[in-house]
PDB file of all heavy atoms in Angstrom:
ATOM      1  N   LEU A  21      -5.682 -20.556 -19.103  1.00 97.00           N
ATOM      2  CA  LEU A  21      -5.363 -19.803 -17.896  1.00 97.00           C
ATOM      3  C   LEU A  21      -4.663 -18.501 -18.246  1.00 97.00           C
ATOM      4  O   LEU A  21      -5.013 -17.433 -17.725  1.00 97.00           O
ATOM      5  CB  LEU A  21      -4.485 -20.648 -16.962  1.00 97.00           C
ATOM      6  CG  LEU A  21      -4.020 -19.981 -15.675  1.00 97.00           C
ATOM      7  CD1 LEU A  21      -5.198 -19.568 -14.807  1.00 97.00           C
ATOM      8  CD2 LEU A  21      -3.086 -20.908 -14.911  1.00 97.00           C
ATOM      9  N   LEU A  22      -3.697 -18.565 -19.151  1.00 97.00           N
ATOM     10  CA  LEU A  22      -2.993 -17.360 -19.583  1.00 97.00           C
ATOM     11  C   LEU A  22      -3.964 -16.356 -20.199  1.00 97.00           C
ATOM     12  O   LEU A  22      -3.933 -15.163 -19.879  1.00 97.00           O
ATOM     13  CB  LEU A  22      -1.900 -17.730 -20.586  1.00 97.00           C
ATOM     14  CG  LEU A  22      -1.091 -16.590 -21.178  1.00 97.00           C
ATOM     15  CD1 LEU A  22      -0.280 -15.865 -20.110  1.00 97.00           C
ATOM     16  CD2 LEU A  22      -0.171 -17.110 -22.277  1.00 97.00           C
ATOM     17  N   ALA A  23      -4.849 -16.833 -21.059  1.00 97.00           N
ATOM     18  CA  ALA A  23      -5.830 -15.953 -21.694  1.00 97.00           C
ATOM     19  C   ALA A  23      -6.744 -15.310 -20.650  1.00 97.00           C
ATOM     20  O   ALA A  23      -7.058 -14.115 -20.744  1.00 97.00           O
ATOM     21  CB  ALA A  23      -6.658 -16.725 -22.718  1.00 97.00           C
ATOM     22  N   ASN A  24      -7.149 -16.075 -19.644  1.00 97.00           N
ATOM     23  CA  ASN A  24      -8.005 -15.525 -18.593  1.00 97.00           C
ATOM     24  C   ASN A  24      -7.291 -14.442 -17.792  1.00 97.00           C
ATOM     25  O   ASN A  24      -7.895 -13.433 -17.435  1.00 97.00           O
ATOM     26  CB  ASN A  24      -8.481 -16.631 -17.653  1.00 97.00           C
ATOM     27  CG  ASN A  24      -9.512 -17.527 -18.287  1.00 97.00           C
ATOM     28  OD1 ASN A  24     -10.203 -17.140 -19.216  1.00 97.00           O
ATOM     29  ND2 ASN A  24      -9.609 -18.743 -17.808  1.00 97.00           N
ATOM     30  N   VAL A  25      -6.009 -14.651 -17.533  1.00 96.00           N
ATOM     31  CA  VAL A  25      -5.240 -13.646 -16.801  1.00 96.00           C
ATOM     32  C   VAL A  25      -5.144 -12.360 -17.632  1.00 96.00           C
ATOM     33  O   VAL A  25      -5.353 -11.266 -17.117  1.00 96.00           O
ATOM     34  CB  VAL A  25      -3.834 -14.181 -16.430  1.00 96.00           C
ATOM     35  CG1 VAL A  25      -2.945 -13.070 -15.899  1.00 96.00           C
ATOM     36  CG2 VAL A  25      -3.949 -15.313 -15.417  1.00 96.00           C
ATOM     37  N   VAL A  26      -4.856 -12.504 -18.916  1.00 96.00           N
ATOM     38  CA  VAL A  26      -4.748 -11.331 -19.790  1.00 96.00           C
ATOM     39  C   VAL A  26      -6.095 -10.612 -19.873  1.00 96.00           C
ATOM     40  O   VAL A  26      -6.152  -9.381 -19.773  1.00 96.00           O
ATOM     41  CB  VAL A  26      -4.248 -11.734 -21.195  1.00 96.00           C
ATOM     42  CG1 VAL A  26      -4.340 -10.555 -22.162  1.00 96.00           C
ATOM     43  CG2 VAL A  26      -2.819 -12.248 -21.125  1.00 96.00           C
ATOM     44  N   GLU A  27      -7.167 -11.357 -20.029  1.00 96.00           N
ATOM     45  CA  GLU A  27      -8.495 -10.751 -20.117  1.00 96.00           C
ATOM     46  C   GLU A  27      -8.858 -10.013 -18.834  1.00 96.00           C
ATOM     47  O   GLU A  27      -9.566  -9.013 -18.866  1.00 96.00           O
ATOM     48  CB  GLU A  27      -9.551 -11.808 -20.429  1.00 96.00           C
ATOM     49  CG  GLU A  27      -9.487 -12.310 -21.846  1.00 96.00           C
ATOM     50  CD  GLU A  27     -10.483 -13.429 -22.110  1.00 96.00           C
ATOM     51  OE1 GLU A  27     -11.407 -13.622 -21.300  1.00 96.00           O
ATOM     52  OE2 GLU A  27     -10.328 -14.112 -23.129  1.00 96.00           O
ATOM     53  N   GLY A  28      -8.363 -10.487 -17.711  1.00 95.00           N
ATOM     54  CA  GLY A  28      -8.674  -9.861 -16.427  1.00 95.00           C
ATOM     55  C   GLY A  28      -7.844  -8.631 -16.114  1.00 95.00           C
ATOM     56  O   GLY A  28      -8.118  -7.928 -15.143  1.00 95.00           O
ATOM     57  N   MET A  29      -6.857  -8.375 -16.937  1.00 95.00           N
ATOM     58  CA  MET A  29      -6.004  -7.208 -16.690  1.00 95.00           C
ATOM     59  C   MET A  29      -6.697  -5.930 -17.145  1.00 95.00           C
ATOM     60  O   MET A  29      -7.482  -5.933 -18.091  1.00 95.00           O
ATOM     61  CB  MET A  29      -4.667  -7.357 -17.426  1.00 95.00           C
ATOM     62  CG  MET A  29      -3.792  -8.454 -16.856  1.00 95.00           C
ATOM     63  SD  MET A  29      -2.276  -8.715 -17.792  1.00 95.00           S
ATOM     64  CE  MET A  29      -1.389  -7.202 -17.430  1.00 95.00           C
ATOM     65  N   ASN A  30      -6.384  -4.859 -16.463  1.00 94.00           N
ATOM     66  CA  ASN A  30      -6.933  -3.550 -16.795  1.00 94.00           C
ATOM     67  C   ASN A  30      -5.776  -2.678 -17.268  1.00 94.00           C
ATOM     68  O   ASN A  30      -4.784  -2.501 -16.547  1.00 94.00           O
ATOM     69  CB  ASN A  30      -7.593  -2.942 -15.559  1.00 94.00           C
ATOM     70  CG  ASN A  30      -8.223  -1.605 -15.824  1.00 94.00           C
ATOM     71  OD1 ASN A  30      -7.709  -0.783 -16.569  1.00 94.00           O
ATOM     72  ND2 ASN A  30      -9.362  -1.365 -15.193  1.00 94.00           N
ATOM     73  N   ALA A  31      -5.886  -2.128 -18.456  1.00 92.00           N
ATOM     74  CA  ALA A  31      -4.816  -1.313 -19.035  1.00 92.00           C
ATOM     75  C   ALA A  31      -4.483  -0.101 -18.166  1.00 92.00           C
ATOM     76  O   ALA A  31      -3.347   0.359 -18.142  1.00 92.00           O
ATOM     77  CB  ALA A  31      -5.187  -0.855 -20.443  1.00 92.00           C
ATOM     78  N   ASP A  32      -5.462   0.405 -17.440  1.00 94.00           N
ATOM     79  CA  ASP A  32      -5.234   1.588 -16.610  1.00 94.00           C
ATOM     80  C   ASP A  32      -4.511   1.263 -15.306  1.00 94.00           C
ATOM     81  O   ASP A  32      -3.851   2.119 -14.737  1.00 94.00           O
ATOM     82  CB  ASP A  32      -6.559   2.285 -16.293  1.00 94.00           C
ATOM     83  CG  ASP A  32      -7.223   2.847 -17.548  1.00 94.00           C
ATOM     84  OD1 ASP A  32      -6.490   3.277 -18.465  1.00 94.00           O
ATOM     85  OD2 ASP A  32      -8.464   2.843 -17.598  1.00 94.00           O
ATOM     86  N   THR A  33      -4.648   0.020 -14.841  1.00 94.00           N
ATOM     87  CA  THR A  33      -4.081  -0.316 -13.538  1.00 94.00           C
ATOM     88  C   THR A  33      -3.027  -1.425 -13.598  1.00 94.00           C
ATOM     89  O   THR A  33      -2.465  -1.780 -12.559  1.00 94.00           O
ATOM     90  CB  THR A  33      -5.195  -0.758 -12.570  1.00 94.00           C
ATOM     91  OG1 THR A  33      -5.848  -1.916 -13.101  1.00 94.00           O
ATOM     92  CG2 THR A  33      -6.204   0.356 -12.355  1.00 94.00           C
ATOM     93  N   ALA A  34      -2.766  -1.966 -14.780  1.00 94.00           N
ATOM     94  CA  ALA A  34      -1.804  -3.061 -14.899  1.00 94.00           C
ATOM     95  C   ALA A  34      -0.424  -2.594 -14.442  1.00 94.00           C
ATOM     96  O   ALA A  34      -0.018  -1.463 -14.696  1.00 94.00           O
ATOM     97  CB  ALA A  34      -1.737  -3.562 -16.337  1.00 94.00           C
ATOM     98  N   SER A  35       0.277  -3.489 -13.762  1.00 95.00           N
ATOM     99  CA  SER A  35       1.595  -3.146 -13.228  1.00 95.00           C
ATOM    100  C   SER A  35       2.687  -3.944 -13.935  1.00 95.00           C
ATOM    101  O   SER A  35       2.414  -4.920 -14.643  1.00 95.00           O
ATOM    102  CB  SER A  35       1.636  -3.460 -11.731  1.00 95.00           C
ATOM    103  OG  SER A  35       1.545  -4.856 -11.530  1.00 95.00           O
ATOM    104  N   VAL A  36       3.899  -3.525 -13.711  1.00 96.00           N
ATOM    105  CA  VAL A  36       5.049  -4.239 -14.242  1.00 96.00           C
ATOM    106  C   VAL A  36       5.071  -5.662 -13.683  1.00 96.00           C
ATOM    107  O   VAL A  36       5.408  -6.614 -14.399  1.00 96.00           O
ATOM    108  CB  VAL A  36       6.360  -3.488 -13.903  1.00 96.00           C
ATOM    109  CG1 VAL A  36       7.581  -4.314 -14.249  1.00 96.00           C
ATOM    110  CG2 VAL A  36       6.398  -2.149 -14.609  1.00 96.00           C
ATOM    111  N   GLU A  37       4.685  -5.814 -12.434  1.00 95.00           N
ATOM    112  CA  GLU A  37       4.647  -7.141 -11.818  1.00 95.00           C
ATOM    113  C   GLU A  37       3.672  -8.063 -12.547  1.00 95.00           C
ATOM    114  O   GLU A  37       3.944  -9.255 -12.712  1.00 95.00           O
ATOM    115  CB  GLU A  37       4.278  -7.047 -10.328  1.00 95.00           C
ATOM    116  CG  GLU A  37       5.356  -6.443  -9.460  1.00 95.00           C
ATOM    117  CD  GLU A  37       5.408  -4.912  -9.517  1.00 95.00           C
ATOM    118  OE1 GLU A  37       4.440  -4.270  -9.996  1.00 95.00           O
ATOM    119  OE2 GLU A  37       6.437  -4.361  -9.108  1.00 95.00           O
TER     120      GLU A  37
END
Side-chain angles (χ1 to χ4, degrees):
L21 178 61
L22 178 64
N24 288 336
V25 170
V26 171
E27 288 176 15
M29 291 176 69
N30 182 322
D32 295 326
T33 61
S35 67
V36 171
E37 290 80 15

